[in-house]
Amino acid sequence: MSYASLSVKDLTSLVSRSGAGSSSSPKLPGQTRPVKVITLHHPDTSHDARPPSIPFDDILSGWRAKIKPMSLVDWVEILFPCFTWIPTYRWSEYFKLDLMAGITVGIMLVPQAMSYAKLAGLPPIYGLYSSFVPIFVYAIFGSSRQLAIGPVALVSLLVSNALGGIADSSEEELHIELAILLALLVGILECIMGLLRLGWLIRFISHSVISGFTSASAIVIGLSQVKYFLGYNIARSSKIVPLVESIIAGADKFQWPPFLMGSLILVILQVMKHVGKAKKELQFLRAAAPLTGIVLGTTIAKVFHPPSISLVGEIPQGLPTFSFPRSFDHAKTLLPTSALITGVAILESVGIAKALAAKNRYELDSNSELFGLGVANILGSLFSAYPSTGSFSRSAVSNESEAKTGLSGLITGIIIGCSLLFLTPVFKYIPQCALAAIVISAGSGLVDYDEAIFLWRVDKRDFTLWTITSTTTLFFGIEIGVLVGVGFSLAFVIHESANPHIAVLGRLPGTTVYRNVKQYPEAYTYNGIVIVRIDAPIYFANISYIKDRLREYEVAVDKYTTKGPEVERISFVILEMSPVTHIDSSAVEALKELYQEYKARDIQLAISNPNKDVHMTIARSGMVELVGKEWYFVRVHDAVQVCLNYLQSSSLEDKKPSFLRRFSNNNGSSSYNDLQSYNTLLKEPLLPVEK
């Protein structure tokens, strides 16, 4: 391995020029030439200096700085994102694309909406209601121009699970009221989190948790819909064991007609979906698949009238009417589920929206997007909608159909409205197994086995997290699965924070670069000097771990190739602090204690390259004066060379009980001026001459 660096000749001339005109220092025996040590300027900690800021004040000042220059037009665009594209809309170029995308998504949404409503334990009409008003509202308040919102499989399962724990399946009216109330609560939570810009909280949930949760939920979704294929009822549960037991227990009631019809439609859906994905010229098949399954099933049911195949039945005709939730008695019980659905909206919908925005080259604020989803759910709940969010499959179809603006969503909403006004009499002949096939087909895409394989290859810890989340979701239910997954995810984050990576550094041959000796085995260390890099913020939770590791490194560095003068013990510990972004008061006090421990054992602590904030905190604590200004350096190499100078000079003079004590008791004089000069004299050249 080779390293690019200045030649010895270049460095010699550079050092000679930089040292010209400066006062010379007394030469020690064996010294060769002067080496420049860059001065580290310490911050001003006097009363005139700026006091430490409170993070909340920084946030407020940032908001004020952002809001102050905003004009009325800027405010309108923030509150109504649709005005970012309405003034620049190119009718001749965009309208045809938006029209086709809106029609395509609408054709896909009508059968899916009814299917997902059945999954949620609601009449199919409420799936159409949830696809009507929210779409129009989102087109005005939503930031994404391609995101297709409405009922989705995962949220429908969460709704079904939440309502099943409160009301019996026979209480249809109560189910409907609770679902509408849940939409209102979800909307309020989304608006609050969007306004307070709290979407970052969800970042602590690992992607592997979400993948494991959705994969397990997809299996539960599929098993819950099997009853329409088998021809008999099964237990309503979000756990796999009761579902499987119920399926086995009712096997004697199995009926062939719904099984054959459902299987046929499912195969057709899967083939059309995969062909549409594989071939761009046939991508319309992906959007047309649900409608094809519905038309095929309805035709068979209308022509042959098989008695063992259950149909959807009568569906009310007309648009939803305005109504306010009648009671909030169960609001407290529904809050956990509403929080979970909000989390799904942030992780999935906002994630999809940001990806689509990046792909189509426009900016999207995630908090504004969350607020738009919240407003859509709040107003939707006033028109009999249950919770809606962004759909991955429909959004992908919208993007593939080259939707340019939110007008495509308005066209989709018009199609849903026309279906409510004119097509509901036809919907009563739709077989239940056809709707179930649509749900199972959509759910199969949520089983992310590719992610599990990837995690197994790349990161066993994330694979463990995926396995734990999916297993607990399958066997203990959705709420327990989410809580366990989030708990383990946070535990891993806390463990990483409390046990940060710490590396012993060595010098790469022929350079002044210092790197992890485990990553670069050819790097060498110096006798009597330990160089340690802390790769994380230092605070109360991890300072004990850091101190323990430093004590270990003090006695375990002789396994690497070493150079420098022969010494019997460690005399210097250098902390490379450039990766440290923050240090709190507890950590500073612990470092002071560590310094005192080192001092008692004649070990000098040196600190290299702290950033501005860390340096200011250390300076305010008095640690700069405690350790000594001369022991703070800009570069690790400067610290190493100064330490080597002390080691070499002490080895040439008479041995004394403590060379550190000798420096501190030198009639009140300090070596600080020598260290600050550009002519600090060292025995070892800056770069070794390669022979």
Side-chain angles (χ1 to χ4, degrees):
M1 185 179 293
S2 61
Y3 304 93
S5 62
L6 292 172
S7 66
V8 175
K9 181 180 179 181
D10 292 337
L11 282 170
T12 303
S13 61
L14 177 63
V15 171
S16 299
R17 288 196 301 272
S18 66
S22 60
S23 61
S24 61
S25 300
K27 276 194 175 184
L28 294 171
Q31 288 178 335
T32 55
R33 71 175 191 278
V35 175
K36 177 177 177 179
V37 175
I38 303 172
T39 304
L40 178 65
H41 298 285
H42 295 278
D44 180 14
T45 57
S46 65
H47 295 294
D48 296 331
R50 182 176 177 266
S53 60
I54 302 172
F56 187 70
D57 290 340
D58 290 340
I59 294 172
L60 288 179
S61 61
W63 284 354
R64 283 194 293 266
K66 187 176 181 180
I67 290 172
K68 191 173 181 179
M70 288 176 59
S71 63
L72 179 62
V73 175
D74 295 328
W75 278 107
V76 170
E77 289 182 352
I78 286 179
L79 296 175
F80 304 98
C82 60
F83 284 99
T84 59
W85 56 265
I86 287 177
T88 58
Y89 193 82
R90 304 174 188 174
W91 287 93
S92 59
E93 183 180 348
Y94 291 167
F95 181 71
K96 183 179 178 181
L97 296 172
D98 283 337
L99 179 65
M100 294 305 298
I103 293 173
T104 303
V105 173
I107 290 172
M108 187 178 183
L109 177 57
V110 171
Q112 277 191 348
M114 292 189 290
S115 304
Y116 294 151
K118 292 292 293 181
L119 174 61
L122 301 170
I125 189 66
Y126 286 92
L128 296 175
Y129 289 164
S130 302
S131 307
F132 182 57
V133 171
I135 285 182
F136 285 102
V137 176
Y138 180 80
I140 298 171
F141 291 94
S143 303
S144 178
R145 303 173 190 179
Q146 288 80 29
L147 187 70
I149 74 162
V152 297
L154 183 55
V155 171
S156 298
L157 178 64
L158 294 173
V159 171
S160 173
N161 186 65
L163 303 188
I166 299 174
D168 190 76
S169 58
S170 60
E171 300 176 276
E172 187 175 276
E173 286 297 322
L174 181 57
H175 264 256
I176 295 170
E177 289 180 20
L178 292 175
I180 294 171
L181 176 60
L182 188 58
L184 178 62
L185 295 175
V186 168
I188 292 172
L189 275 179
E190 289 175 338
C191 284
I192 291 173
M193 293 191 72
L195 289 172
L196 298 181
R197 308 186 72 81
L198 297 177
W200 60 269
L201 291 172
I202 308 297
R203 298 174 194 167
F204 288 98
I205 302 177
S206 168
H207 176 71
S208 53
V209 170
I210 301 302
S211 175
F213 169 69
T214 54
S215 298
S217 298
I219 295 172
V220 173
I221 288 170
L223 290 175
S224 68
Q225 296 299 295
V226 167
K227 62 182 179 181
Y228 298 113
F229 279 41
L230 302 178
Y232 58 88
N233 287 325
I234 61 175
R236 184 174 180 176
S237 175
S238 62
K239 304 173 186 176
I240 190 171
V241 174
L243 288 171
V244 173
E245 288 178 346
S246 180
I247 291 171
I248 296 172
D252 56 327
K253 303 174 186 176
F254 175 77
Q255 297 180 359
W256 280 103
F259 178 78
L260 292 175
M261 177 185 284
S263 300
L264 174 63
I265 294 174
L266 180 60
V267 169
I268 292 173
L269 291 174
Q270 292 295 92
V271 170
M272 292 180 70
K273 183 168 71 172
H274 287 291
V275 170
K277 280 184 179 180
K279 297 185 178 180
K280 190 174 182 180
E281 63 274 12
L282 298 176
Q283 65 183 17
F284 68 91
L285 291 176
R286 182 181 178 185
L291 183 63
T292 302
I294 291 294
V295 170
L296 177 62
T298 303
T299 302
I300 294 174
K302 185 76 173 173
V303 173
F304 297 103
H305 302 286
S308 58
I309 295 179
S310 60
L311 305 179
V312 169
E314 293 292 336
I315 293 179
Q317 189 171 7
L319 301 178
T321 57
F322 177 86
S323 63
F324 200 76
R326 301 176 188 174
S327 172
F328 290 86
D329 294 340
H330 297 284
K332 187 176 180 180
T333 308
L334 293 173
L335 274 178
T337 302
S338 61
L340 183 55
I341 294 174
T342 301
V344 171
I346 296 173
L347 290 163
E348 297 295 332
S349 299
V350 177
I352 296 166
K354 291 187 75 172
L356 292 174
K359 193 171 184 179
N360 290 275
R361 299 180 181 179
Y362 63 88
E363 293 184 2
L364 184 140
D365 180 70
S366 55
N367 291 292
S368 176
E369 176 68 12
L370 190 57
F371 177 78
L373 286 170
V375 174
N377 274 307
I378 290 174
L379 296 181
S381 69
L382 303 179
F383 291 89
S384 303
Y386 76 93
S388 300
T389 191
S391 165
F392 179 81
S393 59
R394 295 195 297 272
S395 298
V397 168
S398 175
N399 185 63
E400 290 167 3
S401 302
E402 300 185 45
K404 295 297 182 182
T405 65
L407 183 61
S408 62
L410 295 176
I411 293 169
T412 299
I414 291 171
I415 291 176
I416 299 297
C418 292
S419 300
L420 287 167
L421 289 171
F422 307 114
L423 298 179
T424 50
V426 180
F427 293 159
K428 67 180 180 180
Y429 298 107
I430 298 175
Q432 300 268 26
C433 60
L435 295 179
I438 293 173
V439 173
I440 294 173
S441 176
S444 64
L446 297 175
V447 181
D448 202 357
Y449 54 86
D450 288 335
E451 177 73 7
I453 296 171
F454 172 78
L455 293 175
W456 173 258
R457 290 201 314 264
V458 175
D459 192 334
K460 296 296 190 296
R461 190 190 64 180
D462 279 346
F463 175 78
T464 302
L465 198 56
W466 188 95
T467 305
I468 290 172
T469 305
S470 58
T471 303
T472 51
T473 302
L474 280 174
F475 288 95
F476 298 99
I478 292 173
E479 290 87 354
I480 300 298
V482 170
L483 288 175
V484 170
V486 171
F488 272 90
S489 181
L490 291 175
F492 284 160
V493 171
I494 293 170
H495 180 269
E496 284 294 316
S497 179
N499 299 273
H501 179 262
I502 302 175
V504 174
L505 304 185
R507 182 176 174 179
L508 296 178
T511 74
T512 60
V513 177
Y514 292 78
R515 290 293 183 265
N516 187 347
V517 292
K518 290 184 178 180
Q519 184 177 359
Y520 297 90
E522 68 273 23
Y524 58 86
T525 60
Y526 289 99
N527 293 318
I529 302 174
V530 179
I531 312 166
V532 178
R533 187 185 68 215
I534 303 169
D535 295 329
I538 308 176
Y539 69 114
F540 64 93
N542 63 15
I543 186 62
S544 296
Y545 174 84
I546 292 172
K547 288 174 66 177
D548 292 341
R549 297 290 79 75
L550 290 174
R551 293 188 185 102
E552 290 178 9
Y553 295 146
E554 193 181 322
V555 295
V557 293
D558 55 352
K559 65 178 78 173
Y560 307 107
T561 304
T562 57
K563 294 190 177 183
E566 293 294 334
V567 293
E568 296 179 355
R569 63 180 184 83
I570 297 298
S571 299
F572 295 94
V573 174
I574 301 172
L575 296 184
E576 156 67 310
M577 297 186 71
S578 56
V580 179
T581 57
H582 170 74
I583 186 170
D584 70 356
S585 57
S586 300
V588 171
E589 290 300 319
L591 286 179
K592 286 183 178 180
E593 294 174 5
L594 182 66
Y595 169 77
Q596 296 296 347
E597 292 179 23
Y598 282 159
K599 185 177 180 181
R601 299 199 305 273
D602 290 338
I603 298 174
Q604 176 63 52
L605 179 67
I607 294 176
S608 168
N609 196 25
N611 72 26
K612 181 181 177 182
D613 294 334
V614 171
H615 198 177
M616 180 64 76
T617 302
I618 292 174
R620 287 198 184 101
S621 70
M623 191 172 173
V624 170
E625 289 75 17
L626 179 66
V627 176
K629 291 184 178 181
E630 66 271 24
W631 295 108
Y632 287 79
F633 301 91
V634 174
R635 301 184 305 168
V636 173
H637 187 64
D638 291 347
V640 171
Q641 299 291 57
V642 168
C643 294
L644 283 174
N645 189 33
Y646 276 118
L647 289 173
Q648 292 163 353
S649 62
S650 64
S651 66
L652 293 172
E653 295 183 4
D654 295 333
K655 291 185 178 180
K656 295 185 179 182
S658 168
F659 67 88
L660 291 177
R661 199 176 298 115
R662 170 170 53 81
F663 283 112
S664 62
N665 296 329
N666 192 16
N667 296 325
S669 64
S670 172
S671 59
Y672 178 60
N673 292 331
D674 291 339
L675 294 176
Q676 292 294 331
S677 79
Y678 287 158
N679 294 320
T680 301
L681 301 178
L682 303 172
K683 181 177 180 181
E684 181 175 286
L686 187 64
L687 288 177
V689 180
E690 302 292 345
K691 295 182 179 180

PDB file of all heavy atoms in Angstrom, residues 478-496:
ATOM      1  N   ILE A 478     -50.128  -7.171  16.586  1.00  0.00           N
ATOM      2  CA  ILE A 478     -49.522  -5.989  15.971  1.00  0.00           C
ATOM      3  C   ILE A 478     -48.942  -5.045  17.011  1.00  0.00           C
ATOM      4  O   ILE A 478     -47.796  -4.586  16.890  1.00  0.00           O
ATOM      5  CB  ILE A 478     -50.573  -5.269  15.105  1.00  0.00           C
ATOM      6  CG1 ILE A 478     -50.924  -6.135  13.890  1.00  0.00           C
ATOM      7  CG2 ILE A 478     -50.067  -3.910  14.649  1.00  0.00           C
ATOM      8  CD1 ILE A 478     -52.059  -5.601  13.069  1.00  0.00           C
ATOM      9  N   GLU A 479     -49.721  -4.729  18.062  1.00  0.00           N
ATOM     10  CA  GLU A 479     -49.249  -3.760  19.053  1.00  0.00           C
ATOM     11  C   GLU A 479     -47.985  -4.257  19.753  1.00  0.00           C
ATOM     12  O   GLU A 479     -47.000  -3.512  19.895  1.00  0.00           O
ATOM     13  CB  GLU A 479     -50.337  -3.475  20.100  1.00  0.00           C
ATOM     14  CG  GLU A 479     -51.513  -2.689  19.571  1.00  0.00           C
ATOM     15  CD  GLU A 479     -52.572  -3.598  18.960  1.00  0.00           C
ATOM     16  OE1 GLU A 479     -52.314  -4.820  18.855  1.00  0.00           O
ATOM     17  OE2 GLU A 479     -53.649  -3.098  18.575  1.00  0.00           O
ATOM     18  N   ILE A 480     -48.005  -5.520  20.181  1.00  0.00           N
ATOM     19  CA  ILE A 480     -46.828  -6.080  20.859  1.00  0.00           C
ATOM     20  C   ILE A 480     -45.636  -6.108  19.911  1.00  0.00           C
ATOM     21  O   ILE A 480     -44.506  -5.788  20.297  1.00  0.00           O
ATOM     22  CB  ILE A 480     -47.127  -7.502  21.385  1.00  0.00           C
ATOM     23  CG1 ILE A 480     -48.293  -7.468  22.374  1.00  0.00           C
ATOM     24  CG2 ILE A 480     -45.894  -8.096  22.048  1.00  0.00           C
ATOM     25  CD1 ILE A 480     -48.034  -6.654  23.610  1.00  0.00           C
ATOM     26  N   GLY A 481     -45.886  -6.488  18.656  1.00  0.00           N
ATOM     27  CA  GLY A 481     -44.798  -6.544  17.681  1.00  0.00           C
ATOM     28  C   GLY A 481     -44.149  -5.192  17.472  1.00  0.00           C
ATOM     29  O   GLY A 481     -42.912  -5.079  17.442  1.00  0.00           O
ATOM     30  N   VAL A 482     -44.975  -4.152  17.359  1.00  0.00           N
ATOM     31  CA  VAL A 482     -44.431  -2.804  17.167  1.00  0.00           C
ATOM     32  C   VAL A 482     -43.663  -2.350  18.407  1.00  0.00           C
ATOM     33  O   VAL A 482     -42.548  -1.815  18.303  1.00  0.00           O
ATOM     34  CB  VAL A 482     -45.567  -1.811  16.839  1.00  0.00           C
ATOM     35  CG1 VAL A 482     -45.057  -0.381  16.881  1.00  0.00           C
ATOM     36  CG2 VAL A 482     -46.151  -2.117  15.477  1.00  0.00           C
ATOM     37  N   LEU A 483     -44.247  -2.565  19.585  1.00  0.00           N
ATOM     38  CA  LEU A 483     -43.584  -2.139  20.816  1.00  0.00           C
ATOM     39  C   LEU A 483     -42.248  -2.844  21.010  1.00  0.00           C
ATOM     40  O   LEU A 483     -41.241  -2.210  21.362  1.00  0.00           O
ATOM     41  CB  LEU A 483     -44.501  -2.403  22.021  1.00  0.00           C
ATOM     42  CG  LEU A 483     -45.718  -1.488  22.165  1.00  0.00           C
ATOM     43  CD1 LEU A 483     -46.588  -1.940  23.320  1.00  0.00           C
ATOM     44  CD2 LEU A 483     -45.283  -0.039  22.362  1.00  0.00           C
ATOM     45  N   VAL A 484     -42.233  -4.162  20.770  1.00  0.00           N
ATOM     46  CA  VAL A 484     -40.988  -4.915  20.923  1.00  0.00           C
ATOM     47  C   VAL A 484     -39.953  -4.454  19.896  1.00  0.00           C
ATOM     48  O   VAL A 484     -38.776  -4.242  20.222  1.00  0.00           O
ATOM     49  CB  VAL A 484     -41.249  -6.427  20.796  1.00  0.00           C
ATOM     50  CG1 VAL A 484     -39.938  -7.200  20.717  1.00  0.00           C
ATOM     51  CG2 VAL A 484     -42.070  -6.923  21.980  1.00  0.00           C
ATOM     52  N   GLY A 485     -40.387  -4.283  18.642  1.00  0.00           N
ATOM     53  CA  GLY A 485     -39.462  -3.837  17.601  1.00  0.00           C
ATOM     54  C   GLY A 485     -38.889  -2.466  17.885  1.00  0.00           C
ATOM     55  O   GLY A 485     -37.667  -2.253  17.787  1.00  0.00           O
ATOM     56  N   VAL A 486     -39.760  -1.525  18.259  1.00  0.00           N
ATOM     57  CA  VAL A 486     -39.301  -0.176  18.578  1.00  0.00           C
ATOM     58  C   VAL A 486     -38.400  -0.206  19.816  1.00  0.00           C
ATOM     59  O   VAL A 486     -37.378   0.486  19.876  1.00  0.00           O
ATOM     60  CB  VAL A 486     -40.499   0.767  18.797  1.00  0.00           C
ATOM     61  CG1 VAL A 486     -40.035   2.111  19.347  1.00  0.00           C
ATOM     62  CG2 VAL A 486     -41.255   0.973  17.494  1.00  0.00           C
ATOM     63  N   GLY A 487     -38.778  -1.025  20.810  1.00  0.00           N
ATOM     64  CA  GLY A 487     -37.960  -1.134  22.015  1.00  0.00           C
ATOM     65  C   GLY A 487     -36.558  -1.627  21.713  1.00  0.00           C
ATOM     66  O   GLY A 487     -35.571  -1.057  22.203  1.00  0.00           O
ATOM     67  N   PHE A 488     -36.454  -2.690  20.907  1.00  0.00           N
ATOM     68  CA  PHE A 488     -35.135  -3.203  20.544  1.00  0.00           C
ATOM     69  C   PHE A 488     -34.367  -2.200  19.685  1.00  0.00           C
ATOM     70  O   PHE A 488     -33.148  -2.059  19.813  1.00  0.00           O
ATOM     71  CB  PHE A 488     -35.269  -4.536  19.797  1.00  0.00           C
ATOM     72  CG  PHE A 488     -35.294  -5.730  20.713  1.00  0.00           C
ATOM     73  CD1 PHE A 488     -36.487  -6.217  21.207  1.00  0.00           C
ATOM     74  CD2 PHE A 488     -34.126  -6.361  21.082  1.00  0.00           C
ATOM     75  CE1 PHE A 488     -36.529  -7.312  22.055  1.00  0.00           C
ATOM     76  CE2 PHE A 488     -34.133  -7.451  21.938  1.00  0.00           C
ATOM     77  CZ  PHE A 488     -35.345  -7.935  22.427  1.00  0.00           C
ATOM     78  N   SER A 489     -35.088  -1.506  18.793  1.00  0.00           N
ATOM     79  CA  SER A 489     -34.436  -0.501  17.954  1.00  0.00           C
ATOM     80  C   SER A 489     -33.822   0.605  18.803  1.00  0.00           C
ATOM     81  O   SER A 489     -32.666   0.995  18.611  1.00  0.00           O
ATOM     82  CB  SER A 489     -35.453   0.092  16.971  1.00  0.00           C
ATOM     83  OG  SER A 489     -34.842   1.041  16.131  1.00  0.00           O
ATOM     84  N   LEU A 490     -34.598   1.111  19.776  1.00  0.00           N
ATOM     85  CA  LEU A 490     -34.082   2.149  20.671  1.00  0.00           C
ATOM     86  C   LEU A 490     -32.952   1.602  21.542  1.00  0.00           C
ATOM     87  O   LEU A 490     -31.981   2.314  21.835  1.00  0.00           O
ATOM     88  CB  LEU A 490     -35.207   2.693  21.547  1.00  0.00           C
ATOM     89  CG  LEU A 490     -36.272   3.526  20.830  1.00  0.00           C
ATOM     90  CD1 LEU A 490     -37.383   3.909  21.795  1.00  0.00           C
ATOM     91  CD2 LEU A 490     -35.654   4.779  20.216  1.00  0.00           C
ATOM     92  N   ALA A 491     -33.091   0.338  21.966  1.00  0.00           N
ATOM     93  CA  ALA A 491     -32.034  -0.267  22.787  1.00  0.00           C
ATOM     94  C   ALA A 491     -30.718  -0.328  22.019  1.00  0.00           C
ATOM     95  O   ALA A 491     -29.641  -0.060  22.574  1.00  0.00           O
ATOM     96  CB  ALA A 491     -32.455  -1.666  23.235  1.00  0.00           C
ATOM     97  N   PHE A 492     -30.790  -0.675  20.727  1.00  0.00           N
ATOM     98  CA  PHE A 492     -29.579  -0.709  19.909  1.00  0.00           C
ATOM     99  C   PHE A 492     -28.975   0.683  19.756  1.00  0.00           C
ATOM    100  O   PHE A 492     -27.752   0.860  19.798  1.00  0.00           O
ATOM    101  CB  PHE A 492     -29.877  -1.297  18.533  1.00  0.00           C
ATOM    102  CG  PHE A 492     -30.045  -2.798  18.544  1.00  0.00           C
ATOM    103  CD1 PHE A 492     -30.708  -3.444  17.507  1.00  0.00           C
ATOM    104  CD2 PHE A 492     -29.547  -3.555  19.576  1.00  0.00           C
ATOM    105  CE1 PHE A 492     -30.866  -4.828  17.507  1.00  0.00           C
ATOM    106  CE2 PHE A 492     -29.690  -4.936  19.599  1.00  0.00           C
ATOM    107  CZ  PHE A 492     -30.352  -5.567  18.552  1.00  0.00           C
ATOM    108  N   VAL A 493     -29.853   1.696  19.571  1.00  0.00           N
ATOM    109  CA  VAL A 493     -29.369   3.072  19.442  1.00  0.00           C
ATOM    110  C   VAL A 493     -28.671   3.503  20.733  1.00  0.00           C
ATOM    111  O   VAL A 493     -27.576   4.082  20.710  1.00  0.00           O
ATOM    112  CB  VAL A 493     -30.533   4.027  19.112  1.00  0.00           C
ATOM    113  CG1 VAL A 493     -30.079   5.485  19.207  1.00  0.00           C
ATOM    114  CG2 VAL A 493     -31.077   3.743  17.725  1.00  0.00           C
ATOM    115  N   ILE A 494     -29.302   3.215  21.869  1.00  0.00           N
ATOM    116  CA  ILE A 494     -28.729   3.592  23.163  1.00  0.00           C
ATOM    117  C   ILE A 494     -27.417   2.848  23.405  1.00  0.00           C
ATOM    118  O   ILE A 494     -26.435   3.421  23.902  1.00  0.00           O
ATOM    119  CB  ILE A 494     -29.740   3.309  24.292  1.00  0.00           C
ATOM    120  CG1 ILE A 494     -30.954   4.240  24.150  1.00  0.00           C
ATOM    121  CG2 ILE A 494     -29.096   3.486  25.659  1.00  0.00           C
ATOM    122  CD1 ILE A 494     -32.106   3.880  25.054  1.00  0.00           C
ATOM    123  N   HIS A 495     -27.394   1.563  23.035  1.00  0.00           N
ATOM    124  CA  HIS A 495     -26.162   0.780  23.224  1.00  0.00           C
ATOM    125  C   HIS A 495     -25.025   1.359  22.391  1.00  0.00           C
ATOM    126  O   HIS A 495     -23.883   1.467  22.870  1.00  0.00           O
ATOM    127  CB  HIS A 495     -26.419  -0.679  22.835  1.00  0.00           C
ATOM    128  CG  HIS A 495     -25.218  -1.555  22.996  1.00  0.00           C
ATOM    129  ND1 HIS A 495     -24.318  -1.777  21.963  1.00  0.00           N
ATOM    130  CD2 HIS A 495     -24.741  -2.255  24.069  1.00  0.00           C
ATOM    131  CE1 HIS A 495     -23.365  -2.579  22.383  1.00  0.00           C
ATOM    132  NE2 HIS A 495     -23.588  -2.879  23.654  1.00  0.00           N
ATOM    133  N   GLU A 496     -25.320   1.725  21.145  1.00  0.00           N
ATOM    134  CA  GLU A 496     -24.286   2.308  20.292  1.00  0.00           C
ATOM    135  C   GLU A 496     -23.793   3.626  20.866  1.00  0.00           C
ATOM    136  O   GLU A 496     -22.604   3.940  20.820  1.00  0.00           O
ATOM    137  CB  GLU A 496     -24.846   2.535  18.877  1.00  0.00           C
ATOM    138  CG  GLU A 496     -24.961   1.284  18.051  1.00  0.00           C
ATOM    139  CD  GLU A 496     -23.599   0.684  17.744  1.00  0.00           C
ATOM    140  OE1 GLU A 496     -22.676   1.434  17.392  1.00  0.00           O
ATOM    141  OE2 GLU A 496     -23.448  -0.544  17.885  1.00  0.00           O
TER     142      GLU A 496
END
